[in-house]
Amino acid sequence: MYSVAFSEAMLCWNKDKLAELEAHMRKGGMDQSDIDKARYFNPSLFLACVDRRALPPSLLYWRVRAVFVTYGNMKDKKGNLCSMPRPGLGPTTS
């Protein structure tokens, strides 16, 4: 779920296109729970049909920070690097 949360924090869905796609999925017989599951566990349809944009830094910082607070300092499997480096020091090894 970390990668989904990080992706949701970094990029914002186009609300109009997202609502249009969800309405089409409801017409096809899906309920909101099914739509949410498809969005998080099989996002390829959403990525193909709904564009996303990067948020301005004033919003981006707080959304990304919330992901790091929720999931903690995760480490990269290959280089053992922390996902949230200390300010001004670049990636750290711990």
Side-chain angles (χ1 to χ4, degrees), residues 25-91:
M25 294 171 88
R26 276 190 212 90
K27 286 180 186 175
M30 295 178 82
D31 64 4
Q32 190 60 44
S33 175
D34 293 334
I35 294 170
D36 290 341
K37 289 175 187 174
R39 182 172 165 187
Y40 292 107
F41 297 111
N42 190 10
S44 58
L45 174 64
F46 287 86
L47 293 172
C49 296
V50 182
D51 57 317
R52 299 188 297 171
R53 65 177 177 85
L55 295 168
S58 60
L59 295 174
L60 187 61
Y61 172 79
W62 296 107
R63 290 174 60 143
V64 171
R65 185 178 187 285
V67 172
F68 286 124
V69 168
T70 301
Y71 289 95
N73 252 355
M74 298 182 75
K75 293 189 179 183
D76 159 328
K77 290 180 183 176
K78 292 182 183 176
N80 201 27
L81 300 175
C82 291
S83 60
M84 189 168 185
R86 291 176 281 171
L89 297 178

Side-chain angles (χ1 to χ4, degrees), residues 17-28:
K17 289 185 180 180
L18 183 60
E20 184 181 330
L21 177 61
E22 288 180 351
H24 184 72
M25 294 171 88
R26 276 190 212 90
K27 286 180 186 175

